[in-house]
């Protein structure tokens, strides 16, 4: 099978890319945390021990071995909250990217395929959305829907739509006049079939790269919203919300700041490394020759 | 060229109109009641009714929108619910703080970003290149609010050498001339105040500059490598010019074209960063103002500030595009 | 010998400290900026801090108490029917002169008439400036005040629509501050009437020099202040939103007095020899309202069971962290008529279970528990209090689901009685028990949108507080309110949680600062020892 060979070639190339491998490992750890959270975590993420509030990490003076990274202002175990937080981050990335992708695909394919008035209307909408900075638009949307994790994911998903729409439209436009499309049309394929079964599968490369990077930025934006108090609400162990909680303890309990932030950073870095690697392997034109 | 400018300008009108419509309806369909927010736990039935009437919240939505647009066209962006003052006035009072922060952050980003990018490109595959590019990728992945907190912890809490919040220590007083403290303190010939203002700026500027710096570094490197492969560079090299001058004079000039475009278009990233950075450092600028307005559901601020920012955005994009078209006539044809 | 000399020197210097010293700049670090400096438009504490510094009232709260004393009015007479108040103004009081207002103006009756009438008289040009006057409405002044008239230059007559004992206390509240009519007229002429929200010309101890939004307000001493010029020369309000950072700034001496420290950090601040603390019980109460209109809270036994089930002492200890005291009455202990004989429900899960069984709910029930999304003086963290209560209630079989909305939606929905149990609280406005008991628990307050979040309609209680409202004799009113508190406890429409304790840490060299129970911050008696 031709496709199999392509896949093997891809794996070979990907393996040569050291930073992509690093990213892959980071994401693998994240996924393991998320899948086996109840086994890895030492406590339940929302379990409070009011007698053990604001404990430092175990290796610092005053820390105890049962709370590896210390506890927060409620006596909740930080390590366990970070482990469970991996689930939330994966969920945020997956749901936001799915929302962006679903709407972005439809809008992009329609605009690129039909052109003309449909294209103008869709692209106008895209322009309008892009003329408001993404995080501002997300904040306005969350302010309207009310602050919650679900609404933050919806907001981030909506904000991402124009980028996907543009990328898909560009790919569709470059593909739609190619010979195989014309051949298929001559063979009697209808518009829907042409759009989604003939053209779209040939536009996957930039979409996959964008979705990987989009996963990273979704996690980052969601953490930002939660940090502003507009995303996940306590006691949800979301990393950005944990940081917002820690603000008041910057002088007394700095460990509450370090570890959740590190988790956000590594997760985003992991997906960005993979995205970068994918770009190298799948679409070398985008990078140096 | 002229018709291109006109066309672009005309296009921005419906876009702005769309923005106003989008934001207005989003804001007005929200479940929160501004009148109630305003009155808090002291709201009585009569008070709420009175405030609703004052704010015109009892009229149908389309009527409210028409009134709003009419006023906007006359330059009246409405009044804040919370402070009663005009949104424009409030905006003007805070805008210089954000611009000052953004400019300093951008200068940092450009100096370090371009510098690192060039060195990486010249010393390709060196240790410096790998580490610089890894740092750049890390920079793109950095939650700026976290970076800000970590900076505060080390430089303010631990070392006690940099101030945590605000723009200027209380012992200093500057007369507003430009609104930029770095300039105003110099105009007032108050060197101590200048240093103090600078100290207040360092951490927020680093936090805000990190992502642009990373993007610029990556862009510069890629662009330099591309240019250095061109024939004329090879020729210059063959002619025996010293390696340094080849790089600096020929390559840099050509490589900077796409970099400059990216810098121009980075305003969005910068603004997004400003919202989080200003919140972290309680920097009295636009970002913090908008976040506060969201907390207080001050909807005239939310809708008008979004409109102002979108306008500035469109204007900057337009200017960047036009400059690009001026320099690079090929663009106009497409 | 040396030691003795040192001791003598210290003694001498401490004696020298005792006499107030003039001069210096006082920096007050606070959590947020003022919204407006117009006292009639302001609704939040941060705004009142600033307007209190600049403006005076006809009467004022004696520094650090809820007692009323003369201010711009040196005396007042009340007619026999209680409907007519004549205020005699202090003579020779001058309004501020600043870089934005240079006229030399003496306070007169016209200023008083303007300051009050703009809030209710549609003919006043300022009536529409900046929208509705919310506090005026919130205090129900439209239904209290009939007219305000200048009798002569130094005499003002206020007529009322009905007999209202707490009226004189209302006149000490910020919304009734006296602003300069001359300045307002000048702004109006320039077409800048709304600037009254960011510039201020009053008669108060400090003049507003400059306001840098979200950053600081700069005041200078009013050298001609009628109550003696302030000790400090300059006063700065600096905004530092993060409590922890604000405490750090105090330790370095960058600010002199700080507002609202983190409860957790109070002990550490207290141990610091450079810092001292001033404490004051706040005029507030935090509570859990049980919606008596909804099942099963219509049953008094269930309400009592909830009272028994919640471990208030533990919650106050963990979440208020020493900055609160368990509350048993709906009014705070600093308020007159507080009934200390009332016996509170103790923490007793067994009794709670027994009461639930009696009410036919031995298997418990499911309900919702609404948590406020914002910290308030009476409840530093609604969410945390709710989480702790949830755990307590689970022990007696009540499964409570925590519900939260943004602040305005939260209020909107609770006012319509959509909740079963909700956390809320109240900060007193004018130091009068009526402001708690009638405003929060009477039948009139249960009309939706309600302030009576328990939707509690008790005939006995309501008739007691209604009678107290129209009685001018304080001893009689005290008796009525004491009885009302007994009824309240027995019927248990709320779980009273806590009265907060407000703490202001400051540098050791700061003297003369008191916290006002009504939530003001006043600085004109504060001095810095050098």
């Amino acid at each position: 099978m031709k496709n199999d060979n392509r896949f093997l070639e891809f794996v070979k190339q990907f393996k040569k890319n050291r930073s992509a491998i690093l990213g892959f490992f980071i994401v693998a750890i994240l996924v393991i945390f998320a899948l086996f959270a109840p086994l890895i975590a030492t406590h339940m993420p929302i379990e409070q021990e009011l007698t053990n509030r604001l404990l430092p990490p175990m290796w610092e003076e005053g820390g105890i071995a049962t709370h590896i990274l210390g506890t927060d202002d409620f006596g909740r175990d930080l390590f366990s909250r970070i482990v469970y937080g991996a689930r939330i981050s994966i969920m945020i990335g997956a749901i936001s990217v799915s929302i962006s992708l679903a709407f972005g695909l439809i809008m992009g394919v329609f605009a690129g395929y039909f052109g003309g008035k449909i294209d103008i209307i869709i692209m106008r909408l895209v322009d309008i959305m892009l003329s408001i900075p993404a995080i501002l638009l997300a904040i306005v949307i969350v302010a309207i829907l009310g602050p919650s994790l679900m609404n933050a994911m919806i907001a981030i998903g909506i904000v991402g739509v124009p980028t996907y729409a543009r990328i898909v439209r560009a790919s569709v436009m470059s593909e739609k006049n190619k010979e195989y499309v014309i051949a298929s049309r001559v063979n009697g394929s209808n518009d829907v079939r042409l759009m989604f079964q003939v053209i779209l599968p040939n536009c996957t490369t930039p979409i996959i790269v964008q979705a990987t990077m989009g996963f990273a930025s979704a996690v980052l934006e969601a953490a930002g919203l939660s940090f502003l108090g507009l995303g996940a609400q306590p006691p949800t162990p979301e990393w950005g919300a944990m940081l917002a909680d820690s603000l008041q303890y910057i002088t007394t309990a700095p460990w509450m700041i370090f570890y959740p932030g590190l988790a956000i950073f590594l997760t985003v870095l992991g997906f960005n490394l993979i995205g970068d690697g994918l770009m190298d392997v799948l679409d070398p034109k985008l990078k140096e020759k | 060229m002229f018709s291109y400018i006109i066309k672009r300008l005309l296009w921005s009108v419906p876009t702005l109109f769309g923005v106003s419509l989008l934001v207005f309806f989003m804001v007005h369909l929200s479940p929160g009641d501004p009148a109630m927010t305003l009155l808090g736990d002291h709201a009585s039935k009569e008070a709420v009714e009175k405030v609703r009437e004052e704010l015109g919240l009892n009229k149908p939505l389309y009527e409210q929108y028409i009134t709003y647009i009419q006023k906007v066209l006359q330059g009246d962006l409405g009044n804040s619910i919370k402070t009663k003052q005009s949104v424009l006035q409030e905006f003007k009072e805070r805008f210089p703080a954000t611009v000052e922060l953004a400019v300093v952050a951008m200068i940092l980003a450009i100096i370090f970003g371009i510098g690192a990018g060039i060195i990486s490109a010249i010393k390709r595959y060196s240790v410096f290149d790998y580490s610089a590019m890894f740092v750049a990728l890390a920079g793109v992945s950095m939650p700026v609010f976290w970076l800000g907190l970590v900076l505060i912890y080390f430089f303010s809490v631990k070392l006690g050498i940099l101030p945590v919040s605000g723009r200027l220590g209380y012992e200093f007083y500057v007369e507003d001339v430009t609104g930029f403290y770095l300039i105003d303190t110099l105009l007032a010939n108050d060197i101590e105040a200048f240093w103090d203002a600078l100290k207040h700026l360092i951490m927020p500027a680093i936090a805000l500059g990190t992502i642009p710096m990373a993007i610029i570094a990556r862009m510069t490197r890629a662009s330099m490598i591309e240019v250095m492969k061109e024939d004329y560079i090879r020729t210059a090299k063959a002619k025996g010019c010293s390696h340094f001058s080849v790089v600096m004079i020929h390559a840099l000039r050509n490589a900077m074209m796409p970099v400059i475009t990216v810098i121009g278009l980075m305003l969005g990233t910068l603004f997004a960063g400003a919202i989080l950075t200003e919140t972290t450092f309680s920097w009295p600028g636009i970002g913090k103002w908008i976040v506060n307005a969201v907390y207080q559901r001050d909807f005239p601020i939310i809708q008008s500030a979004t409109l102002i920012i979108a306008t500035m955005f469109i204007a900057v994009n337009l200017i960047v595009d036009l400059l690009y078209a001026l320099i690079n006539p090929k663009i106009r044809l497409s | 010998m040396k030691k003795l000399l040192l001791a003598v020197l210290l003694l001498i210097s401490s004696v020298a400290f005792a006499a107030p010293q003039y001069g210096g700049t006082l920096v007050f670090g606070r959590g947020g900026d003022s919204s407006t400096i117009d006292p009639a438009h302001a609704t939040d504490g941060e705004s009142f801090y600033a307007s209190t510094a600049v403006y005076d009232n006809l009467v004022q709260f004696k520094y650090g108490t809820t007692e009323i004393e003369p201010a711009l009015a040196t005396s007042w007479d009340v007619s026999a029917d209680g409907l007519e108040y004549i205020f005699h103004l202090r003579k020779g009081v001058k309004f501020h002169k600043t870089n934005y207002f240079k006229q030399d103006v003496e306070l007169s009756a016209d200023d008083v008439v303007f300051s009050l009438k703009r809030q209710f008289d549609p003919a006043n040009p300022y009536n529409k400036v900046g929208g509705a006057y919310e506090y005026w409405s919130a205090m129900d002044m439209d239904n209290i005040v009939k007219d305000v008239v200048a009798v002569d230059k130094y005499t003002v007559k206020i007529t009322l629509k009905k007999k209202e004992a707490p009226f004189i206390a209302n006149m000490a509240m910020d919304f009734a501050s006296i602003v300069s009519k001359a300045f307002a007229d000048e702004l109006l002429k320039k077409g800048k009437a709304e600037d009254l929200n960011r510039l201020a010309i009053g008669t108060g101890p400090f003049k507003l020099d400059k306001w840098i939004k979200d950053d600081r307000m700069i005041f200078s001493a009013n050298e001609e202040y009628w109550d003696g010029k302030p000790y400090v020369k300059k006063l700065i309000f600096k905004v530092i939103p993060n409590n922890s950072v604000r405490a750090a700034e105090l330790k370095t001496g960058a600010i002199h007095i700080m507002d609202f420290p983190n409860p957790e950090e109070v002990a550490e601040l207290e141990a610091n020899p450079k810092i001292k603390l001033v404490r004051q019980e706040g005029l507030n109460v935090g509570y859990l309202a049980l919606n008596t209109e909804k099942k099963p809270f219509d049953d008094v036994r269930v309400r009592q069971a909830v009272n028994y089930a919640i471990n208030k002492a533990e919650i106050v200890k963990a979440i208020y962290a020493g900055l609160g005291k368990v509350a048993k009455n709906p009014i705070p202990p600093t308020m007159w008529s507080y009934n200390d004989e009332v016996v509170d429900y103790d923490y007793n899960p067994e009794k709670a279970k027994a009461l639930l069984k009696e009410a036919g709910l031995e298997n418990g029930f499911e309900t919702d528990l609404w948590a406020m999304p914002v910290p308030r003086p009476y409840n530093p963290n609604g969410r945390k209090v709710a989480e702790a209560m949830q755990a307590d209630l689970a022990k007696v079989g009540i499964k409570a689901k925590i519900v939260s909305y943004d602040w305005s939606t939260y209020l909107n929905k609770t006012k319509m009685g959509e909740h079963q149990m909700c956390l809320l609280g109240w900060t007193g406005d004018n130091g009068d028990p009526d402001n708690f008991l009638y405003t929060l628990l009477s039948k009139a307050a249960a009309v939706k949108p309600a302030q009576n979040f328990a939707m509690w309609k008790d005939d006995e209680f309501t008739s007691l507080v209604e009678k107290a409202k129209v009685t001018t004799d304080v001893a009689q009113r005290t008796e009525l309110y004491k009885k009302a508190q007994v009824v309240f406890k027995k019927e248990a429409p709320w779980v009273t949680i806590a009265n907060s304790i407000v703490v202001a840490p400051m540098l050791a060299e700061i003297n003369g600062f008191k916290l006002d129970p009504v939530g003001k911050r006043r600085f004109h008696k504060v001095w810095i020892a050098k």
Side-chain angles (χ1 to χ4, degrees), chain C residues 204-217:
Chain C
F206 292 96
K207 310 185 217 183
L208 175 70
D209 288 339
K210 194 174 165 78
W211 179 4
I212 305 167
K213 290 282 169 70
D214 291 340
D215 183 21
R216 78 188 75 175
M217 283 176 141

PDB file of all heavy atoms in Angstrom, chain C residues 204-217:
ATOM      1  N   GLY C 204     -13.528  69.118  53.327  1.00  0.00           N
ATOM      2  CA  GLY C 204     -12.909  68.101  54.167  1.00  0.00           C
ATOM      3  C   GLY C 204     -11.446  68.350  54.493  1.00  0.00           C
ATOM      4  O   GLY C 204     -10.858  69.331  54.040  1.00  0.00           O
ATOM      5  N   PRO C 205     -10.855  67.446  55.270  1.00  0.00           N
ATOM      6  CA  PRO C 205      -9.485  67.637  55.754  1.00  0.00           C
ATOM      7  C   PRO C 205      -8.419  67.578  54.657  1.00  0.00           C
ATOM      8  O   PRO C 205      -7.324  68.076  54.844  1.00  0.00           O
ATOM      9  CB  PRO C 205      -9.296  66.491  56.745  1.00  0.00           C
ATOM     10  CG  PRO C 205     -10.343  65.496  56.421  1.00  0.00           C
ATOM     11  CD  PRO C 205     -11.495  66.261  55.879  1.00  0.00           C
ATOM     12  N   PHE C 206      -8.731  66.954  53.529  1.00  0.00           N
ATOM     13  CA  PHE C 206      -7.733  66.845  52.463  1.00  0.00           C
ATOM     14  C   PHE C 206      -8.302  67.338  51.139  1.00  0.00           C
ATOM     15  O   PHE C 206      -9.484  67.190  50.867  1.00  0.00           O
ATOM     16  CB  PHE C 206      -7.264  65.393  52.311  1.00  0.00           C
ATOM     17  CG  PHE C 206      -6.476  64.903  53.491  1.00  0.00           C
ATOM     18  CD1 PHE C 206      -7.103  64.187  54.507  1.00  0.00           C
ATOM     19  CD2 PHE C 206      -5.118  65.171  53.597  1.00  0.00           C
ATOM     20  CE1 PHE C 206      -6.385  63.741  55.605  1.00  0.00           C
ATOM     21  CE2 PHE C 206      -4.395  64.732  54.699  1.00  0.00           C
ATOM     22  CZ  PHE C 206      -5.025  64.016  55.712  1.00  0.00           C
ATOM     23  N   LYS C 207      -7.401  67.923  50.334  1.00  0.00           N
ATOM     24  CA  LYS C 207      -7.782  68.352  48.984  1.00  0.00           C
ATOM     25  C   LYS C 207      -7.261  67.331  47.984  1.00  0.00           C
ATOM     26  O   LYS C 207      -6.152  66.809  48.147  1.00  0.00           O
ATOM     27  CB  LYS C 207      -7.120  69.685  48.634  1.00  0.00           C
ATOM     28  CG  LYS C 207      -7.252  70.777  49.642  1.00  0.00           C
ATOM     29  CD  LYS C 207      -6.644  72.021  49.028  1.00  0.00           C
ATOM     30  CE  LYS C 207      -5.914  72.852  50.054  1.00  0.00           C
ATOM     31  NZ  LYS C 207      -5.386  74.093  49.517  1.00  0.00           N
ATOM     32  N   LEU C 208      -8.033  67.075  46.959  1.00  0.00           N
ATOM     33  CA  LEU C 208      -7.587  66.141  45.915  1.00  0.00           C
ATOM     34  C   LEU C 208      -6.727  66.896  44.904  1.00  0.00           C
ATOM     35  O   LEU C 208      -7.206  67.792  44.220  1.00  0.00           O
ATOM     36  CB  LEU C 208      -8.788  65.523  45.206  1.00  0.00           C
ATOM     37  CG  LEU C 208      -8.437  64.617  44.026  1.00  0.00           C
ATOM     38  CD1 LEU C 208      -7.790  63.323  44.497  1.00  0.00           C
ATOM     39  CD2 LEU C 208      -9.674  64.294  43.195  1.00  0.00           C
ATOM     40  N   ASP C 209      -5.434  66.542  44.832  1.00  0.00           N
ATOM     41  CA  ASP C 209      -4.543  67.195  43.874  1.00  0.00           C
ATOM     42  C   ASP C 209      -4.546  66.490  42.528  1.00  0.00           C
ATOM     43  O   ASP C 209      -4.615  67.108  41.485  1.00  0.00           O
ATOM     44  CB  ASP C 209      -3.098  67.213  44.406  1.00  0.00           C
ATOM     45  CG  ASP C 209      -2.933  68.196  45.538  1.00  0.00           C
ATOM     46  OD1 ASP C 209      -3.773  69.108  45.644  1.00  0.00           O
ATOM     47  OD2 ASP C 209      -1.985  68.051  46.341  1.00  0.00           O
ATOM     48  N   LYS C 210      -4.415  65.162  42.577  1.00  0.00           N
ATOM     49  CA  LYS C 210      -4.263  64.443  41.315  1.00  0.00           C
ATOM     50  C   LYS C 210      -4.720  63.011  41.507  1.00  0.00           C
ATOM     51  O   LYS C 210      -4.518  62.423  42.560  1.00  0.00           O
ATOM     52  CB  LYS C 210      -2.784  64.451  40.917  1.00  0.00           C
ATOM     53  CG  LYS C 210      -2.546  64.042  39.479  1.00  0.00           C
ATOM     54  CD  LYS C 210      -1.060  64.228  39.165  1.00  0.00           C
ATOM     55  CE  LYS C 210      -0.668  63.508  37.907  1.00  0.00           C
ATOM     56  NZ  LYS C 210      -1.062  64.194  36.689  1.00  0.00           N
ATOM     57  N   TRP C 211      -5.339  62.487  40.481  1.00  0.00           N
ATOM     58  CA  TRP C 211      -5.806  61.110  40.530  1.00  0.00           C
ATOM     59  C   TRP C 211      -5.303  60.407  39.276  1.00  0.00           C
ATOM     60  O   TRP C 211      -5.717  60.733  38.175  1.00  0.00           O
ATOM     61  CB  TRP C 211      -7.337  61.090  40.612  1.00  0.00           C
ATOM     62  CG  TRP C 211      -7.943  59.727  40.634  1.00  0.00           C
ATOM     63  CD1 TRP C 211      -7.317  58.515  40.657  1.00  0.00           C
ATOM     64  CD2 TRP C 211      -9.348  59.424  40.643  1.00  0.00           C
ATOM     65  NE1 TRP C 211      -8.227  57.492  40.686  1.00  0.00           N
ATOM     66  CE2 TRP C 211      -9.473  58.014  40.674  1.00  0.00           C
ATOM     67  CE3 TRP C 211     -10.494  60.202  40.628  1.00  0.00           C
ATOM     68  CZ2 TRP C 211     -10.715  57.389  40.682  1.00  0.00           C
ATOM     69  CZ3 TRP C 211     -11.732  59.579  40.636  1.00  0.00           C
ATOM     70  CH2 TRP C 211     -11.841  58.175  40.676  1.00  0.00           C
ATOM     71  N   ILE C 212      -4.385  59.481  39.476  1.00  0.00           N
ATOM     72  CA  ILE C 212      -3.908  58.667  38.346  1.00  0.00           C
ATOM     73  C   ILE C 212      -4.657  57.345  38.443  1.00  0.00           C
ATOM     74  O   ILE C 212      -4.438  56.567  39.364  1.00  0.00           O
ATOM     75  CB  ILE C 212      -2.387  58.448  38.416  1.00  0.00           C
ATOM     76  CG1 ILE C 212      -1.674  59.798  38.505  1.00  0.00           C
ATOM     77  CG2 ILE C 212      -1.896  57.664  37.206  1.00  0.00           C
ATOM     78  CD1 ILE C 212      -0.212  59.693  38.900  1.00  0.00           C
ATOM     79  N   LYS C 213      -5.543  57.116  37.490  1.00  0.00           N
ATOM     80  CA  LYS C 213      -6.448  55.967  37.554  1.00  0.00           C
ATOM     81  C   LYS C 213      -5.718  54.647  37.713  1.00  0.00           C
ATOM     82  O   LYS C 213      -4.687  54.422  37.087  1.00  0.00           O
ATOM     83  CB  LYS C 213      -7.307  55.910  36.289  1.00  0.00           C
ATOM     84  CG  LYS C 213      -8.345  57.016  36.203  1.00  0.00           C
ATOM     85  CD  LYS C 213      -9.542  56.743  37.081  1.00  0.00           C
ATOM     86  CE  LYS C 213     -10.454  57.944  37.211  1.00  0.00           C
ATOM     87  NZ  LYS C 213     -11.168  58.257  35.975  1.00  0.00           N
ATOM     88  N   ASP C 214      -6.275  53.778  38.542  1.00  0.00           N
ATOM     89  CA  ASP C 214      -5.751  52.442  38.823  1.00  0.00           C
ATOM     90  C   ASP C 214      -4.374  52.480  39.470  1.00  0.00           C
ATOM     91  O   ASP C 214      -3.710  51.458  39.578  1.00  0.00           O
ATOM     92  CB  ASP C 214      -5.649  51.580  37.544  1.00  0.00           C
ATOM     93  CG  ASP C 214      -7.014  51.225  37.005  1.00  0.00           C
ATOM     94  OD1 ASP C 214      -7.976  51.300  37.779  1.00  0.00           O
ATOM     95  OD2 ASP C 214      -7.119  50.909  35.811  1.00  0.00           O
ATOM     96  N   ASP C 215      -3.902  53.659  39.846  1.00  0.00           N
ATOM     97  CA  ASP C 215      -2.558  53.736  40.390  1.00  0.00           C
ATOM     98  C   ASP C 215      -2.561  54.451  41.747  1.00  0.00           C
ATOM     99  O   ASP C 215      -2.322  53.838  42.774  1.00  0.00           O
ATOM    100  CB  ASP C 215      -1.650  54.446  39.389  1.00  0.00           C
ATOM    101  CG  ASP C 215      -0.210  54.492  39.852  1.00  0.00           C
ATOM    102  OD1 ASP C 215       0.141  53.657  40.696  1.00  0.00           O
ATOM    103  OD2 ASP C 215       0.557  55.353  39.377  1.00  0.00           O
ATOM    104  N   ARG C 216      -2.875  55.732  41.749  1.00  0.00           N
ATOM    105  CA  ARG C 216      -2.838  56.430  43.029  1.00  0.00           C
ATOM    106  C   ARG C 216      -3.686  57.694  43.010  1.00  0.00           C
ATOM    107  O   ARG C 216      -3.996  58.252  41.947  1.00  0.00           O
ATOM    108  CB  ARG C 216      -1.407  56.791  43.388  1.00  0.00           C
ATOM    109  CG  ARG C 216      -0.903  57.994  42.623  1.00  0.00           C
ATOM    110  CD  ARG C 216       0.545  58.217  42.826  1.00  0.00           C
ATOM    111  NE  ARG C 216       1.295  57.244  42.061  1.00  0.00           N
ATOM    112  CZ  ARG C 216       2.619  57.246  41.974  1.00  0.00           C
ATOM    113  NH1 ARG C 216       3.315  58.096  42.646  1.00  0.00           N
ATOM    114  NH2 ARG C 216       3.217  56.367  41.228  1.00  0.00           N
ATOM    115  N   MET C 217      -4.025  58.147  44.200  1.00  0.00           N
ATOM    116  CA  MET C 217      -4.668  59.446  44.388  1.00  0.00           C
ATOM    117  C   MET C 217      -3.750  60.240  45.294  1.00  0.00           C
ATOM    118  O   MET C 217      -3.245  59.715  46.286  1.00  0.00           O
ATOM    119  CB  MET C 217      -6.011  59.271  45.065  1.00  0.00           C
ATOM    120  CG  MET C 217      -7.093  58.785  44.140  1.00  0.00           C
ATOM    121  SD  MET C 217      -8.586  58.523  45.087  1.00  0.00           S
ATOM    122  CE  MET C 217      -9.781  59.134  43.924  1.00  0.00           C
TER     123      MET C 217
END
